[in-house]
Amino acid sequence: MTEPAKAKVDMEKLVSLCRRRGFIFPSSEIYGGLSSCWDYGPLGVELKRNIKDAWWRAVVQQRDDMVGLDSSILMHPQTWEASGHVEGFSDPLVECKGCHLRWRSDELEGDRCPECGGELTEPRLFNLMFKTFMGPVEDEAGMVYLRPETAQGMFVNFENILNTTRKRLPFGIAQIGKSFRNEVTTGNFIFRSREFEQMEIEYFVRPGADKQWFDYWVEERVNWYVSLGIKRENLKLHPHAKEELAHYARECSDVNYLFPMGWAELEGIANRGDFDLVQHAASSGKGLSYYDEEAKEHIVPYIIEPSAGVDRTFLALLCDAYDEDEAEGEKRVLLHLHPDLAPIKAAVLPLSRKEHLASFAKEIYADLRQQWMVGYDDAQSIGRRYRRQDEIGTPFCVTADFESLEDKQVTIRERDSLRQIRVPIESLKVTLAAKLGGEDLFVLPEGGKVWKE
Ligand code: GAP
C-alpha cells in the first residue's frame, strides 16, 4: 500500500476549530496563557472522556484478564530511584550564550542557536521530572516528584492486586491518569505538553511467552485505533532499533500517526522484561514474585506495556475526522467522529421558535438527554444549524417541524450521508440507539419512512 506523504489537515485549522467551538483553550488565557498547557472546553471534555471510556471498555470491561487501578500522582521518592528516572530520565540540553534560549541538543541540526545563530554551551543532562514538597518545610526530606508516567503506580501495586484479585498469569493492570514532564521542547498543540494524560497497561506474562504477547498487544492496539475510525494508512509501526531502546526495554514498537507535522508517536508498546519488578523488589525489600502453579516455583513475570497518550489520541482523532465538503450547495466543515466518541450524539432542532413547536421539541430534548449528551439549537436557519452540528461531529440531527405536531413524527438527519428518515416519536430513542450503534439509517422502525435519499 502506498502511504500518504502528508496529513489532510493543517494544524492551524485544527487549532482554530478547537478554539472557536470550545474543544480546547490555552491554559490561563486571560493572563496570557501558560506555555504548553491546555484546557479542555465543554466539547473537548466530552470527547476526551469518550476516548478514555472507549479505551477502558476495550481493555478492562470487555476482558477477563485485566483489572483497573487509580494510583496517586505523588509517590514515595524511592520509586523513582528504583525505576531509573532519577538517574536516567533526562534530555541533553544546550543553552545559547547570546539569547539564552535552551534547546535539546539531540534535536538540533547545526551547532548554532536556531533562534539567533549564537554559540551554544556544552550539552548537560536535564532531568524531566517536576519536583515539589510535601508538608510545610521545603527541604530535601519533603521533596517528591510529580509522576512522569502512570506505570510505576501499577508496578508497586503488583502484590496488592495479586492478593486481592487472585489473577493468574497472564493478566494486566490498566490505568488512566495525569503525568508530568518538564519537557525542554514542547509544541505542536497538544502533541507534547508538560501536563498530559496517559492510558497505560502493564501486562504480566510468563518469561518466554513475552514475545508472543508483545506481538499480540501491538496488533491489538493498532486495531483499537482503527475500530475508532482512524484510517489504517495513517498508522505506521516503528520498531525500535537497539540503540533507541529505553533503559528498561528489551523490545519496543511505536504506533506512529501521520499528524500535520509528519509521522510521530501516538503510543509505545514495550517489552520491559522483569526490570521493574526486580528493581522495586530490591529497593523495597519486598519479594515481588508470582507463585507459578505449573512450574511449582516463584517466578518474576515479564511485563508488556502498551502506553498511550490521551491527548495525542485526541489530536489524531481530530486530524483523521476533519473534512471539508459541500452540502446543500454550501461549503461545510465536518468531523467524521465515531458515534462513540462524538461529544454530542444528537441535536434537537425545532424548525421554528414558535411556542407550541418549541415546547414540543424541548420535551424530546429532555427525554433524549436522559440517555445521551444531546444538543438543542433554535438559532438561525436550519441549514446553518446543521452546519454547526457537522463541524463538531454530531452524528444525528433530530428536526421537529409543524407537521410533527400533527403526525407525531420527527426527521433524523445523518451527518456523513445527509440522508434523512422520518420516524414516530415513540420509536425515536430506540432508533437513535440503533443508528448510534452502527445500523444503516434506512433500516426503518415501524411507521418510519425514507425522507431524503
Ligand atoms: N510508561 C512508558 C511511557 O511513559 P512514553 O513513550 O514516554 O512511555 C507513552 O510515553 C505515551 O505517552 C506516548 O506515546 C505519548 O502518547 C504520551 N506522551 C508522552 N510524553 C508526552 C507529552 N510530553 N505530551 C503528551 N503526551 C505524551
Side-chain angles (χ1 to χ4, degrees):
M1 190 190 302
T2 47
E3 66 186 39
K6 202 172 165 299
K8 242 175 51 185
V9 56
D10 58 52
M11 197 70 100
E12 289 80 61
K13 270 191 186 163
L14 276 187
V15 175
S16 148
L17 172 66
C18 284
R19 176 83 192 77
R20 187 159 34 85
R21 299 307 311 271
F23 280 92
I24 298 176
F25 309 122
S27 160
S28 4
E29 198 179 8
I30 59 166
Y31 292 106
L34 181 66
S35 164
S36 88
C37 293
W38 302 96
D39 294 345
Y40 286 80
L43 293 179
V45 76
E46 295 300 331
L47 173 54
K48 200 178 190 202
R49 189 199 300 258
N50 292 341
I51 292 169
K52 292 189 277 185
D53 285 350
W55 185 85
W56 197 265
R57 257 197 315 278
V59 308
V60 180
Q61 185 189 320
Q62 293 170 353
R63 301 181 63 109
D64 65 2
D65 57 349
M66 296 278 299
V67 291
L69 182 75
D70 186 2
S71 68
S72 63
I73 287 173
L74 302 177
M75 298 178 71
H76 195 289
Q78 237 177 300
T79 308
W80 308 108
E81 303 271 354
S83 68
H85 282 83
V86 170
E87 200 181 336
F89 193 56
S90 346
D91 280 343
L93 188 79
V94 288
E95 188 174 323
C96 173
K97 291 181 181 170
C99 68
H100 298 288
L101 280 179
R102 291 172 173 187
W103 308 93
R104 270 179 65 168
S105 62
D106 56 338
E107 287 180 351
L108 280 182
E109 293 205 338
D111 57 0
R112 308 295 291 188
C113 171
E115 185 69 16
C116 72
E119 193 187 335
L120 298 169
T121 60
E122 282 300 307
R124 67 182 174 86
L125 287 178
F126 171 74
N127 195 292
L128 301 183
M129 281 195 294
F130 277 101
K131 286 180 191 166
T132 189
F133 298 92
M134 294 255 279
V137 186
E138 293 197 6
D139 62 6
E140 270 302 296
M143 201 266 293
V144 286
Y145 296 103
L146 301 189
R147 68 178 177 203
E149 60 175 15
T150 69
Q152 301 299 325
M154 293 183 267
F155 304 140
V156 301
N157 275 295
F158 171 70
E159 210 179 25
N160 286 337
I161 299 232
L162 209 53
N163 292 341
T164 52
T165 65
R166 307 167 75 88
K167 285 279 172 210
R168 313 305 301 163
L169 291 182
F171 75 92
I173 309 176
Q175 161 153 251
I176 301 177
K178 288 257 175 155
S179 293
F180 302 82
R181 296 182 190 178
N182 199 2
E183 301 277 4
V184 177
T185 41
T186 54
N188 287 320
F189 196 26
I190 53 172
F191 178 82
R192 181 174 286 117
S193 46
R194 297 195 169 101
E195 173 182 342
F196 55 96
E197 227 169 335
Q198 290 184 307
M199 307 182 280
E200 295 199 291
I201 296 169
E202 306 303 335
Y203 197 75
F204 301 87
V205 304
R206 282 194 175 75
D210 47 317
K211 176 66 187 145
Q212 165 207 333
W213 282 109
F214 175 81
D215 293 344
Y216 166 87
W217 276 110
V218 170
E219 195 183 331
E220 194 70 9
R221 296 302 304 141
V222 170
N223 289 343
W224 183 74
Y225 291 107
V226 173
S227 77
L228 293 182
I230 291 198
K231 292 168 209 70
R232 185 65 186 81
E233 67 267 25
N234 290 337
L235 294 167
K236 184 163 81 172
L237 288 174
H238 166 68
H240 283 208
K242 250 203 161 67
E243 56 280 8
E244 277 180 278
L245 289 175
H247 63 279
Y248 51 75
R250 294 169 163 249
E251 189 175 4
C252 185
S253 200
D254 291 340
V255 179
N256 285 354
Y257 178 77
L258 184 59
F259 288 101
M261 66 285 184
W263 290 99
E265 178 186 338
L266 182 56
E267 168 160 356
I269 298 131
N271 178 351
R272 299 181 72 119
D274 59 6
F275 177 84
D276 305 280
L277 292 181
V278 166
Q279 287 291 109
H280 286 301
S283 178
S284 66
K286 301 273 187 305
L288 300 180
S289 65
Y290 169 90
Y291 186 69
D292 189 347
E293 303 283 357
E294 274 172 38
K296 302 272 179 262
E297 62 177 4
H298 282 273
I299 58 169
V300 180
Y302 276 18
I303 297 172
I304 308 300
E305 177 193 64
S307 172
V310 178
D311 314 80
R312 283 190 195 176
T313 305
F314 188 112
L315 186 59
L317 283 163
L318 277 189
C319 293
D320 232 76
Y322 186 94
D323 201 3
E324 291 171 14
D325 69 2
E326 209 172 277
E328 289 124 15
E330 269 188 53
K331 255 192 86 165
R332 72 167 176 164
V333 169
L334 76 159
L335 295 180
H336 295 283
L337 285 174
H338 189 291
D340 287 354
L341 301 175
I344 307 289
K345 308 298 179 198
V348 177
L349 316 175
L351 214 59
S352 135
R353 277 184 175 164
K354 290 222 166 75
E355 182 49 37
H356 47 312
L357 187 55
S359 55
F360 175 85
K362 278 193 177 141
E363 257 178 52
I364 297 174
Y365 172 50
D367 186 36
L368 296 182
R369 249 175 24 204
Q370 302 305 311
Q371 205 157 329
W372 300 287
M373 285 300 298
V374 175
Y376 185 89
D377 189 356
D378 61 4
Q380 300 177 309
S381 75
I382 192 74
R384 281 266 180 96
R385 286 184 264 164
Y386 283 150
R387 275 336 137 259
R388 280 201 286 271
Q389 296 302 325
D390 294 339
E391 197 185 37
I392 61 169
T394 306
F396 298 103
C397 287
V398 175
T399 309
D401 51 31
F402 289 105
E403 230 181 298
S404 305
L405 298 172
E406 307 299 322
D407 66 5
K408 304 284 180 262
Q409 298 207 346
V410 287
T411 56
I412 301 177
R413 169 202 183 256
E414 189 174 51
R415 174 196 68 203
D416 293 354
S417 70
L418 302 171
R419 297 179 302 170
Q420 295 183 24
I421 57 173
R422 196 163 173 93
V423 300
I425 287 170
E426 68 264 18
S427 51
L428 177 61
K429 254 179 161 171
V430 277
T431 307
L432 263 184
K435 306 308 170 203
L436 288 166
E439 185 183 76
D440 187 81
L441 189 73
F442 285 172
V443 176
L444 297 167
E446 209 182 310
K449 50 184 169 285
V450 168
W451 199 244
K452 190 177 161 216
E453 301 257 356

